[in-house]
Amino acid sequence: MGPPRTLRIEADKSTSTLCVVGTEITVHLSRCAPIQSKFFSVKCTSNVHCRVVPATVAGGTLLSAQPLTRNSLLFISMDAASELPNESKLSVRFYGSKTEPLGNAVLHLTAVEISLDVDADRDGVVEKNNPNKASWKWGPKGHGAILLVNCDSESYFLKKKLDNENEEIDKVSDLKDMSRMILRTNGPAQLPKGYKLSLHITQTDAESVRVFSSNGKPQSSNLSTLKKMLFKLFVEEYPLVLNKDELAGEVPYLGGKSELEFFVEGLRFPDKDFEGLVTINLSLLEPSAQGFPETPIFTDKVVFRVAPWIMTPNTLKPVEVFVCSTSDNYDFLKGMKNLVRKSGYKLKICHEYMNRGDRWMQDEIEFGYIDSPHHSFPVVLDSPRDGHLQNFPYDVLLGPDFGYVTRYATQEEVSSLDSFGNLEVSPPVTVNGKKYPLGRIIIGVAFPTTAHGRNMTKVVQDFLWAQKVQEPIALYSDWLVVGHVDEFMSFVPAPDKKGFRLLLASPDAAYKVFTNLQKNGHGKAKMFPGKEEEISVDDILSNEEFRAENVYVQNCIDWNRDVLKKELGLEEEDIIDLPILFKVVPEDENRAAAYYPDMVNMIVLGTNLGIPKPFGPQVNGSCALEAEMRSLLEPLGLNCTFIDDFASYHKLLGEVHCGSNVLREPFAFKWWNLEL
């Protein structure tokens, strides 16, 4: 039962009104009674229900005279729709004494059923009048409708434009990206004169949502119709009802038992200034005196939550691998092609005419997706770094069922930490009993005590936090020249324990490898064999300044290790230390970079790993560092493939992961089932 509305009736006058089934009309009897009235009685047709507060005297009925007080209230309701306007009737008679009539107020009633409906139980079906449609609740027992940001583009060949930047529907395929909303009505063929239905939103919500209507006309099946006529037809089939310029719009009452379908379009993702909830209202308007606007006598409303952007971790199945082709990365590209082919996935190569020499595919974009009960599709997050790859995500990736989102920052705000090698996500974890079934986002920032360090720009951080479903963790990465978390950490799938392992770069582990080589008589073995950087194990171990630099690096990584253990609920057995050394660059404020190819900076394709080839000391015809990596990772069922990125990536302060990206399947877990 909806909240009651107040209605004025007058003695010796006839009034007409609409009564919405499931609601009550309140009449303050003392306000409309003649001055000398002390009693009243009520008479109504059988399909009208009445009750009086205070209650009638014991044994009395409303047909007999009842005492009239200042607080006498008459409540009127109807439980079935009318077939004709004004077909039901109610009268209130007022008395000076029980036998002295003073006046009679007559009310003609028309009952209608009105329900604005959405998929509030999240099963893909727009059910009728769900009691929870006007609110949102997280969890498997929660409720509330879901709205996708319509951030893909149905256009293949024309100049691309995000669908939610277009205020017309020119392809029916665009409707699947929107949420259905249905106006269900039941009543007479026409409403009494002057009554109308209005759909409306607030000015604030209009920044986040747009509503189209289906006008109920059948779509043309004439294949010979010109394209421009089809375009016109689609626009007319689905007229725009609500947007930022039209906060309210009249919608037709179709008569009888009818349904009118709407399509609701999300315009923006949750962010610092937008929690993600929008409300759409439907009001029944009653005519006032001539020259005055109509007044609402009934309002139904529905609430949507805009679906968040969700990142995908290394443990999810790959769909497609993305790399760049440049004039100098033949060896890298050859290794990647072989790995991807062996793994059974698709490879997309961005050629030099598009990348213009910008090879850092990981840094430009991050893949994620959006999901709802009725539809889902991948969405690429474009970083604000804006290198020469800046057109790739929009010009190449954006398309039907492939969305695009970005956040803009001034170039003065953007630093290396805004490249998305500095944006990762963990596999699902449970921390102190709290479940994160979609994992947790990981970013790198300046050390808390550093006043002037580099940080990921605020607009990107605000966006990531606002998605809510993958609560971010901030690590300290500003100690690195490039400053990305993927330079010292990664995740790989595992068949046991938590289903994954955290891989951390470890100078300590590297020194153990080199010390064991020396003890076993391989001190003369050379790092970087055959390259100009060639150096012996003995020389590396004897360099005390170099060792001090790596002690500092290990301290930085250990600080992050402790944060990750706490925030991801990890034990030491969940972590594998990889043997990697770093060098400090004095001219870059003593920040560090990998000394040899950074093996933690790998690509993960199921159980196949593409690892930067380290060019370590050769012992018995094999690389000691590669052998150590295999001994650490192959027991987990992982296959190690070492890819030569030395000249084309490592020397430019990047590695395999920096130069590649992976589109992955979404989580099976539905984000709206999170317990928040």
Side-chain angles (χ1 to χ4, degrees):
M1 183 72 73
R5 68 176 175 97
T6 299
L7 176 70
R8 295 177 67 253
I9 60 175
E10 296 183 51
D12 298 325
K13 284 191 177 181
S14 179
T15 306
S16 297
T17 194
L18 281 180
C19 179
V20 177
V21 173
T23 67
E24 281 189 322
I25 297 173
T26 304
V27 178
H28 291 261
L29 292 172
S30 62
R31 294 183 188 177
C32 54
I35 294 176
Q36 303 300 322
S37 299
K38 295 182 180 179
F39 297 91
F40 71 94
S41 65
V42 180
K43 183 179 180 181
C44 58
T45 53
S46 60
N47 54 350
V48 179
H49 304 285
C50 302
R51 63 185 181 92
V52 169
V53 175
T56 59
V57 295
T61 71
L62 293 179
L63 293 174
S64 59
Q66 306 293 318
L68 178 67
T69 71
R70 290 183 58 190
N71 299 321
S72 292
L73 298 177
L74 172 63
F75 293 93
I76 306 166
S77 63
M78 300 178 71
D79 56 13
S82 301
E83 294 184 3
L84 297 171
N86 300 319
E87 70 177 11
S88 300
K89 182 179 177 181
L90 175 143
S91 63
V92 180
R93 179 163 292 187
F94 297 98
Y95 306 88
S97 66
K98 286 189 177 184
T99 59
E100 179 191 4
L102 297 179
N104 194 38
V106 177
L107 179 62
H108 296 279
L109 292 159
T110 306
V112 292
E113 293 181 14
I114 299 175
S115 176
L116 187 63
D117 294 324
V118 291
D119 179 18
D121 59 5
R122 307 165 185 165
D123 64 354
V125 177
V126 179
E127 64 275 5
K128 184 177 180 180
N129 218 13
N130 187 301
N132 298 312
K133 65 185 180 181
S135 61
W136 172 270
K137 182 180 178 182
W138 294 88
K141 296 182 179 180
H143 56 258
I146 294 166
L147 186 63
L148 296 178
V149 177
N150 194 9
C151 60
D152 66 342
S153 175
E154 299 303 314
S155 173
Y156 279 105
F157 307 110
L158 301 176
K159 186 176 181 181
K160 285 186 181 179
K161 193 176 187 181
L162 295 183
D163 287 340
N164 61 17
E165 295 174 350
N166 186 3
E167 294 202 338
E168 296 175 332
I169 296 176
D170 53 6
K171 288 190 177 180
V172 177
S173 57
D174 195 25
L175 298 177
K176 68 181 182 299
D177 301 331
M178 305 183 193
S179 294
R180 293 173 66 235
M181 180 173 70
I182 297 176
L183 169 59
R184 293 183 168 103
T185 54
N186 189 13
Q190 292 182 329
L191 295 177
K193 185 178 179 181
Y195 286 89
K196 61 179 65 173
L197 295 171
S198 175
L199 205 63
H200 52 101
I201 53 178
T202 66
Q203 191 168 8
T204 299
D205 283 344
E207 298 176 4
S208 309
V209 70
R210 193 156 50 209
V211 180
F212 297 88
S213 171
S214 172
N215 63 18
K217 295 179 182 178
Q219 296 178 23
S220 172
S221 59
N222 183 1
L223 298 178
S224 65
T225 305
L226 294 174
K227 288 184 179 179
K228 64 180 181 180
M229 295 300 294
L230 284 174
F231 176 83
K232 182 180 179 183
L233 173 65
F234 293 150
V235 172
E236 290 179 349
E237 279 289 339
Y238 303 99
L240 180 63
V241 179
L242 300 178
N243 66 355
K244 64 183 187 312
D245 299 319
E246 298 289 341
L247 301 181
E250 182 179 352
V251 296
Y253 170 80
L254 300 180
K257 193 171 186 179
S258 304
E259 293 187 355
L260 181 61
E261 190 172 34
F262 297 91
F263 296 92
V264 185
E265 177 180 49
L267 302 182
R268 61 174 180 155
F269 283 93
D271 214 324
K272 181 184 179 183
D273 61 344
F274 175 47
E275 184 184 2
L277 295 174
V278 294
T279 300
I280 300 175
N281 306 277
L282 177 88
S283 290
L284 174 62
L285 304 182
E286 184 174 60
S288 299
Q290 187 172 1
F292 292 91
E294 303 92 348
T295 55
I297 59 172
F298 167 79
T299 296
D300 202 9
K301 72 176 183 178
V302 295
V303 169
F304 288 93
R305 176 174 284 280
V306 175
W309 179 78
I310 302 172
M311 281 183 66
T312 52
N314 286 351
T315 47
L316 290 177
K317 184 179 179 181
V319 174
E320 190 169 10
V321 179
F322 295 80
V323 295
C324 288
S325 172
T326 63
S327 59
D328 62 351
N329 75 342
Y330 174 80
D331 290 336
F332 166 81
L333 205 55
K334 179 181 177 182
M336 289 296 297
K337 287 179 179 178
N338 290 336
L339 174 66
V340 175
R341 183 171 57 249
K342 178 176 69 174
S343 303
Y345 304 115
K346 294 189 292 185
L347 178 66
K348 175 76 172 183
I349 298 176
C350 176
H351 294 283
E352 199 154 11
Y353 74 87
M354 171 63 71
N355 66 54
R356 295 176 290 169
D358 185 354
R359 68 199 68 208
W360 308 111
M361 183 62 76
Q362 182 67 222
D363 289 338
E364 182 62 36
I365 59 176
E366 189 66 57
F367 287 116
Y369 69 96
I370 56 177
D371 191 18
S372 73
H374 67 276
H375 193 42
S376 67
F377 55 83
V379 176
V380 60
L381 175 63
D382 189 4
S383 79
R385 73 185 278 266
D386 286 346
H388 291 314
L389 266 172
Q390 63 178 321
N391 295 332
F392 173 77
Y394 199 92
D395 291 349
V396 177
L397 297 177
L398 174 64
D401 284 343
F402 207 123
Y404 172 93
V405 63
T406 191
R407 284 296 175 266
Y408 297 99
T410 65
Q411 287 307 302
E412 290 74 19
E413 296 174 319
V414 174
S415 72
S416 173
L417 272 67
D418 291 302
S419 297
F420 286 162
N422 197 36
L423 174 60
E424 296 299 320
V425 64
S426 79
V429 292
T430 300
V431 185
N432 296 324
K434 182 176 181 179
K435 295 181 178 180
Y436 297 90
L438 302 174
R440 298 188 67 180
I441 284 173
I442 297 168
I443 63 171
V445 297
F447 197 71
T449 59
T450 304
H452 303 290
R454 300 168 299 171
N455 279 292
M456 180 177 284
T457 191
K458 187 173 183 296
V459 292
V460 175
Q461 291 201 52
D462 287 344
F463 173 81
L464 297 173
W465 276 97
Q467 306 315 303
K468 287 191 175 182
V469 296
Q470 296 176 303
E471 184 181 336
I473 302 167
L475 299 182
Y476 170 41
S477 67
D478 191 35
W479 58 273
L480 289 154
V481 173
V482 176
H484 296 175
V485 293
D486 71 352
E487 297 178 76
F488 63 85
M489 63 163 290
S490 186
F491 296 97
V492 293
D496 57 358
K497 298 182 176 128
K498 293 180 172 63
F500 69 91
R501 295 289 191 278
L502 167 64
L503 307 183
L504 288 178
S506 172
D508 282 353
Y511 270 102
K512 286 183 180 179
V513 172
F514 288 112
T515 300
N516 284 334
L517 288 173
Q518 188 181 60
K519 286 181 178 179
N520 292 325
H522 301 293
K524 301 300 182 183
K526 301 294 181 66
M527 274 296 304
F528 314 115
K531 298 184 181 297
E532 60 179 301
E533 296 87 357
E534 190 175 79
I535 183 173
S536 70
V537 171
D538 287 341
D539 288 340
I540 290 172
L541 292 176
S542 64
N543 188 332
E544 293 301 325
E545 182 179 349
F546 185 57
R547 184 182 288 268
E549 292 174 359
N550 276 280
V551 168
Y552 162 72
V553 167
Q554 186 67 63
N555 288 339
C556 294
I557 294 173
D558 284 346
W559 191 90
N560 289 311
R561 182 194 202 95
D562 292 339
V563 172
L564 288 167
K565 287 173 67 176
K566 176 184 177 183
E567 298 295 337
L568 296 180
L570 303 181
E571 305 293 337
E572 279 298 317
E573 62 186 14
D574 301 314
I575 302 172
I576 297 176
D577 293 308
L578 304 186
I580 301 163
L581 293 176
F582 291 78
K583 59 182 177 182
V584 167
V585 182
E587 55 270 28
D588 203 331
E589 300 183 21
N590 283 330
R591 293 186 171 103
Y595 177 55
Y596 48 80
D598 189 351
M599 295 180 291
V600 78
N601 192 271
M602 63 178 69
I603 184 172
V604 180
L605 301 178
T607 57
N608 293 325
L609 310 179
I611 303 170
K613 186 175 179 63
F615 294 94
Q618 295 290 308
V619 176
N620 299 324
S622 64
C623 172
L625 290 173
E626 290 184 18
E628 180 69 10
M629 289 290 286
R630 287 194 173 97
S631 71
L632 293 170
L633 299 175
E634 287 182 350
L636 298 174
L638 302 172
N639 305 306
C640 300
T641 297
F642 294 92
I643 296 174
D644 182 357
D645 72 351
F646 190 85
S648 55
Y649 288 85
H650 171 69
K651 282 194 168 185
L652 300 176
L653 301 182
E655 309 288 358
V656 169
H657 187 259
C658 304
S660 61
N661 219 313
V662 184
L663 174 67
R664 299 180 185 275
E665 291 184 352
F667 285 99
F669 181 86
K670 300 302 183 182
W671 62 267
W672 52 87
N673 289 328
L674 273 171
E675 299 278 6
L676 290 183

